[in-house]
Amino acid sequence: MARSRILSTSGALMVATALMLGACTNPAANDSATDTGSSSEPAVSGEYWPAATEKLDGVELTLWAAQTSNKIPAKVVEAFEAATGAKVKVDTIPDNYESNVQTKIATGDTPDIMFWQPATSTLAGFVAQDKLQNLKDMPWMDDYADGIANAGGSYDGERYAALISSPDVEGIYYNKKVFEAAGITELPKNWAEFIATAEKIKAANVPGLVSPLFEMAGDQWGTQWAVNVQLAEAAKDGLWDRINTGKDSFEGADVLGAIKEYKSMFDKGLYNADAGSATFDDQTSALWEGKTAMIIQANGAFGPIAALAKNDKKALDDTIGFFPISKDGNIGTSIPQQTGGIVLFNTGDATREAAARQFLHFWMTDGYAEFVKDQNIVSVLKSVPSPDSVPQALLDSAASLANAEGSMQSQAIANPDLYLNLANMVNGTMTPEEAAKATQDQFAELAKAQGAEGF
């Protein structure tokens, strides 16, 4: 499973913003883009969503994927080609995937199908140019498990991406054996209890324990999770809507308060002493080996942990658990990733556009049971059970989506480099106030470039 990173850093965002502005200010942009009506023309079968196995002899489709996702559709492609006669070519776009994809598309190179993070800010640029097919009335929509459809894929009330796997959830992965050794018998039910648990573990002097919590600010990107998870209730109360319209900011009480709380966790000695230089691999190894009790992470952390466990489900279930956490309760914070989102493009070829919809339809219906078995992942469909081999921690993470709230990456109109500023704070080169201001200044610049009101 791919590492769970922030996908929209400033460089990629500036490309996306340029795409959006180009669509708004360059008359040639709309002339070269496919008209919205092209994707609503009758498909081969006369239906917007063709039957999953309708014959497509002679049709060739191109699917773009990242290095982290290019193996994911292999079995689906093979089965679809056998069932329909179509050909699907998977092209790997090198890293930085997001920037390279947007650059290629800006020069006129367009795929039929693409892996893409199904979040508001990452969909916005393509939607503004009418690049994406509207995935209205997806035949499997009512079959999505609770919380899946709300976790991503929509922009301005319309659906432009399908979720093929369970979105990441930011929360707490913990070592059950360390909890037992420290006398922890109940999981925390809110942030205050979470901090109290960390303090109790620190005081217990468990053999081999380095610290109750472990941070990886050397790799920077994971620092944002500790702040994000504290904001779930505020997000439910409209925090990101207020920030998106300039009525609140990263310097406001909610976000700055969460940043200060994160800093206090270091001041209390709850984190590893080398947090400023430690890496993601250090973090996941520390959890598996019992050198730490808890890490604040997303699903991407589980792949390396599973590899350390040699994918032994029993060993994983006996050692690693997951629970969501938020300021006032156990609300998870969802963040859909590029590895779990699929978009389809308006190419100007109605036959290929319909065939791309048919491929997605096949993937999420006839081909889905075999897909989740091949990938050994949690199913996002109620009608398809997850494989028995999926570790319990991942099942618990997916279950928390039913009551989860979207992260900054999901709900903000732009994603500033919060993680970088927080890493600087961990390393002592920024105060919480400076980290908040730098993040807000960048966010305001990006929002203004998009033409957002309030900036």
Side-chain angles (χ1 to χ4, degrees):
M1 188 174 295
R3 295 179 180 182
S4 177
R5 301 174 183 266
I6 182 170
L7 297 182
S8 298
T9 54
S10 56
L13 275 166
M14 293 307 290
V15 176
T17 302
L19 283 169
M20 291 180 69
L21 293 175
C24 295
T25 61
N26 181 3
N30 286 333
D31 290 340
S32 62
T34 304
D35 184 82
T36 305
S38 67
S39 63
S40 60
E41 293 177 15
V44 177
S45 65
E47 299 292 339
Y48 189 72
W49 289 96
T53 57
E54 184 171 309
K55 288 300 179 183
L56 291 171
D57 293 318
V59 176
E60 295 186 3
L61 300 172
T62 299
L63 188 160
W64 285 2
Q67 292 171 326
T68 55
S69 53
N70 60 2
K71 300 294 192 299
I72 291 175
K75 292 290 186 180
V76 176
V77 167
E78 181 182 346
F80 181 72
E81 290 179 338
T84 67
K87 297 296 181 184
V88 181
K89 180 186 178 185
V90 179
D91 286 343
T92 302
I93 308 301
D95 288 336
N96 182 306
Y97 179 71
E98 290 72 32
S99 294
N100 286 333
V101 158
Q102 292 172 101
T103 299
K104 286 171 70 68
I105 290 173
T107 61
D109 192 0
T110 305
D112 299 291
I113 308 155
M114 188 174 77
F115 278 89
W116 194 244
Q117 185 182 31
T120 298
S121 60
T122 51
L123 294 172
F126 292 142
V127 173
Q129 289 194 109
D130 191 30
K131 292 292 188 184
L132 301 182
Q133 291 197 48
N134 190 322
L135 305 186
K136 58 186 179 183
D137 302 323
M138 295 190 305
W140 60 93
M141 185 62 126
D142 291 341
D143 196 20
Y144 270 140
D146 291 346
I148 299 298
N150 295 329
S154 295
Y155 180 82
D156 198 23
E158 299 290 337
R159 179 157 292 276
Y160 294 98
L163 279 74
I164 60 167
S165 59
S166 185
D168 281 17
V169 178
E170 299 166 23
I172 311 300
Y173 284 94
Y174 69 100
N175 188 300
K176 295 179 179 180
K177 295 177 180 178
V178 173
F179 268 43
E180 182 179 2
I184 306 298
T185 58
E186 294 186 7
L187 297 180
K189 298 181 178 63
N190 54 52
W191 188 263
E193 290 188 11
F194 164 64
I195 296 299
T197 296
E199 291 174 334
K200 181 176 180 180
I201 291 170
K202 180 182 178 182
N205 294 317
V206 176
L209 188 76
V210 171
S211 56
L213 292 163
F214 198 102
E215 191 54 280
M216 37 75 78
D219 277 345
Q220 300 179 335
W221 54 266
T223 57
Q224 63 200 312
W225 308 147
V227 170
N228 269 355
V229 297
Q230 296 180 63
L231 300 173
E233 285 87 2
K236 282 185 178 291
D237 192 42
L239 172 66
W240 297 112
D241 288 338
R242 295 192 297 274
I243 290 178
N244 287 339
T245 54
K247 297 173 183 176
D248 200 340
S249 78
F250 288 83
E251 296 178 90
D254 289 314
V255 183
L256 178 55
I259 294 173
K260 288 181 175 179
E261 172 66 13
Y262 178 44
K263 174 65 164 57
S264 76
M265 294 157 68
F266 291 92
D267 296 340
K268 293 175 182 176
L270 300 180
Y271 276 111
N272 47 309
D274 64 346
S277 60
T279 65
F280 175 70
D281 289 339
D282 295 332
Q283 184 186 58
T284 52
S285 296
L287 185 66
W288 174 248
E289 295 169 5
K291 294 178 181 177
T292 191
M294 297 178 282
I295 62 174
I296 305 176
Q297 261 293 353
N299 300 39
F302 202 82
I305 294 171
L308 291 169
K310 299 180 180 179
N311 292 304
D312 184 330
K313 172 178 165 56
K314 185 178 185 306
L316 287 166
D317 288 349
D318 287 346
T319 307
I320 305 297
F322 173 87
F323 61 88
I325 199 70
S326 57
K327 186 175 181 180
D328 298 324
N330 290 108
I331 300 174
T333 299
S334 66
I335 175 170
Q337 298 290 346
Q338 162 278 121
T339 51
I342 296 292
V343 295
L344 309 179
F345 278 81
N346 289 323
T347 61
D349 185 322
T351 298
R352 276 175 37 219
E353 289 175 6
R357 293 194 296 274
Q358 183 176 331
F359 173 73
L360 185 56
H361 186 190
F362 176 88
W363 191 337
M364 296 305 298
T365 55
D366 291 39
Y368 197 69
E370 189 59 32
F371 169 66
V372 297
K373 180 179 178 182
D374 172 62
Q375 294 291 304
N376 194 36
I377 57 174
V378 177
S379 171
V380 297
L381 300 181
K382 290 179 283 191
S383 64
V384 177
S386 300
D388 292 339
S389 52
V390 175
Q392 187 61 45
L394 290 182
L395 295 172
D396 291 341
S397 171
S400 72
L401 284 165
N403 187 43
E405 184 63 24
S407 66
M408 175 188 75
Q409 291 77 11
S410 298
Q411 298 192 41
I413 57 174
N415 292 328
D417 294 334
L418 173 63
Y419 72 101
L420 178 59
N421 298 322
L422 292 174
N424 289 336
M425 184 187 75
V426 171
N427 278 293
T429 61
M430 274 188 170
T431 65
E433 290 80 6
E434 289 170 338
K437 184 179 187 303
T439 304
Q440 177 59 30
D441 287 349
Q442 185 190 24
F443 178 84
E445 179 183 353
L446 294 169
K448 185 177 181 179
Q450 293 181 22
E453 293 184 7
F455 298 91

